[in-house]
Amino acid sequence: MCRESAAYIFLQNPPGLPAIAVCWFVGCLSGSKLVIDWHNYGYSIMGLVHGPNHRLVLLAKWYEKLCGRLSHLNLCVTNAMREDLAENWGIKAVTVYDKPASFFKETPLDLQHRLFMKLGRTYSAFRASSEPSDPATERSAFTQRDAGSGMVTCLHGRPALLVSSTSWTEDEDFSILLAALEKFEQLILDGESLPSLVCVITGKGPLKEYYSRLIGQKHFQHIQVCTPWLEAEDYPLLLGSADLGVCLHKSSSGLDLPMKVVDMFGCCLPVCAMTFQCLHELVKHEENGLVFKDSEELAAQLQMLFSKFPDPAGKLNQFRKNLQESKQLRWDESWKQTVLPLLMDMTPWTKD
């Protein structure tokens, strides 16, 4: 069966070794144009493990710089990366910010309750601390469904739900979050008016076992930490149900942005994020979230945001309102507005 060659070969980098050269070669054979979507530099990620001056890392940088110039069109995720590609690599790129998919949105209370009841079957942090007087009433740690009316309400005095997601790699130091949680716990023990916390850290990766051991060594009285691997459809529901997101992504290059924060913002979830070079292109400090540089700052931000929780007039709720009013573009809308016109300009049109 004969098939017409694709007009474009899209490659997200990283990983680009050896994919860039392979895709370029296939494009030469098929007549397809190569489009590279730069999300980071692969060599900088390798440098986290081997060190920036390792021979393998230097070879990967040379390869990426050389082969990156073979593309017909380059996209990148930040203005900072666009400038770096132009100044240091001789590559002209167009900034296309990551946008959340349409299913990242606020979760209705009824769906929140269903999710909490489902997760409670596996993770104790989602289970109610006390049983309802009516056995027919469903209760989670956060919500309750009335047996008669079926109406779902938030429990009075419920814990705050803090969410983070990770691939458990070297570019995220979760000891910062754990230290901040210890400080938060001490504030409660000292009599501060703060809620208990359920901290959910989702994801899989090489350092998960290491951090799970650290978490197991903590003896929190007012904080529960769980590290589930969620089904794909449950992850956006959890983000849309949470009170605050935390991001510890540092960026190996300092030039990319954390996709997890993009998804959190899609769910109108305020974020506390670890600061780095170009984070301001996504997280607007004191507008849609806060940035921090260490555990002391994060602990102070948690104290401020959760003071008098849940407070409709508080800063946490104001950040959420700002996100709701921002009317963010979704991935497909951004594609049509930004990328599609670039492809149309590259496409030779002929009349029959």
Side-chain angles (χ1 to χ4, degrees):
M1 183 175 69
C2 181
R3 292 179 58 186
E4 184 178 349
S5 297
Y8 309 98
I9 297 175
F10 277 81
L11 171 66
Q12 179 177 305
N13 183 62
L17 196 160
I20 299 177
V22 172
C23 291
W24 170 79
F25 181 69
V26 171
C28 290
L29 296 178
S30 63
S32 304
K33 291 181 170 66
L34 175 60
V35 180
I36 300 179
D37 186 10
W38 296 84
H39 279 239
N40 202 348
Y41 297 148
Y43 81 87
S44 70
I45 297 175
M46 295 174 65
L48 293 175
V49 179
H50 303 291
N53 296 317
H54 191 280
R55 290 181 180 180
L56 187 61
V57 175
L58 296 176
L59 177 63
K61 182 177 181 179
W62 171 83
Y63 168 88
E64 234 172 337
K65 186 173 183 178
L66 175 69
C67 294
R69 297 169 181 167
L70 300 175
S71 59
H72 295 84
L73 175 65
N74 291 277
L75 311 174
C76 62
V77 293
T78 64
N79 288 330
M81 181 175 283
R82 184 196 69 210
E83 293 168 5
D84 187 74
L85 284 168
E87 293 174 9
N88 299 316
W89 295 48
I91 293 174
K92 183 179 179 181
V94 177
T95 303
V96 182
Y97 287 116
D98 279 323
K99 298 296 179 182
S102 57
F103 49 78
F104 284 100
K105 56 188 177 182
E106 293 182 271
T107 305
L109 193 57
D110 183 69
L111 286 181
Q112 290 185 33
H113 178 74
R114 285 191 226 169
L115 175 67
F116 297 149
M117 295 301 295
K118 175 183 176 181
L119 295 177
R121 291 195 288 269
T122 307
Y123 305 103
S124 60
F126 291 91
R127 297 173 197 154
S129 57
S130 61
E131 293 298 322
S133 56
D134 185 346
T137 297
E138 286 185 343
R139 181 180 291 177
S140 73
F142 309 93
T143 54
Q144 178 172 289
R145 184 189 297 277
D146 183 78
S149 66
M151 181 180 294
V152 176
T153 55
C154 290
L155 287 179
H156 178 71
R158 71 172 179 87
L161 178 56
L162 185 152
V163 174
S164 187
S165 61
T166 179
S167 51
W168 298 107
T169 51
E170 287 83 358
D171 63 348
E172 292 180 296
D173 183 0
F174 270 83
S175 65
I176 293 173
L177 174 59
L178 295 178
L181 292 178
E182 286 185 305
K183 293 177 176 65
F184 189 87
E185 166 99 352
Q186 189 58 51
L187 288 169
I188 298 176
L189 294 175
D190 290 342
E192 290 283 335
S193 178
L194 295 167
S196 57
L197 285 183
V198 171
C199 176
V200 181
I201 308 172
T202 71
K204 286 183 177 179
L207 294 178
K208 182 173 183 178
E209 185 176 339
Y210 167 75
Y211 280 110
S212 294
R213 287 198 300 269
L214 287 185
I215 292 168
Q217 294 169 7
K218 307 299 178 184
H219 300 289
F220 293 126
Q221 299 178 41
H222 302 278
I223 298 172
Q224 296 184 74
V225 181
C226 65
T227 57
W229 173 249
L230 298 176
E231 296 176 15
E233 61 270 22
D234 289 339
Y235 177 61
L237 292 177
L238 179 66
L239 294 188
S241 305
D243 298 299
L244 179 67
V246 171
C247 175
L248 294 158
H249 176 83
K250 288 183 293 189
S251 176
S252 58
S253 65
L255 300 172
D256 71 315
L257 293 172
M259 190 65 206
K260 69 193 75 179
V261 174
V262 174
D263 295 337
M264 289 173 181
F265 283 170
C267 295
C268 296
L269 177 63
V271 169
C272 290
M274 185 80 178
T275 188
F276 60 88
Q277 180 179 337
C278 66
L279 185 65
H280 65 276
E281 294 189 39
L282 177 62
V283 180
K284 313 298 182 184
H285 188 65
E286 294 282 357
E287 182 178 323
N288 54 19
L290 300 169
V291 299
F292 61 88
K293 67 177 185 295
D294 54 31
S295 62
E296 292 282 349
E297 283 195 356
L298 177 56
Q301 290 172 3
L302 295 179
Q303 179 185 8
M304 182 266 292
L305 293 174
F306 288 127
S307 178
K308 301 178 182 178
F309 175 85
D311 180 8
K315 186 156 286 191
L316 189 62
N317 202 47
Q318 185 57 56
F319 291 162
R320 188 180 293 273
K321 287 181 179 178
N322 291 343
L323 286 165
Q324 292 167 339
E325 293 169 0
S326 65
K327 298 180 180 178
Q328 308 167 69
L329 280 180
R330 296 294 164 161
W331 184 90
D332 54 336
E333 297 169 328
S334 175
W335 171 275
K336 290 175 183 176
Q337 289 187 20
T338 309
V339 181
L340 188 57
L342 297 173
L343 300 180
M344 299 289 283
D345 289 342
M346 291 172 57
T347 305
W349 294 99
T350 59
K351 293 183 178 180
D352 295 334

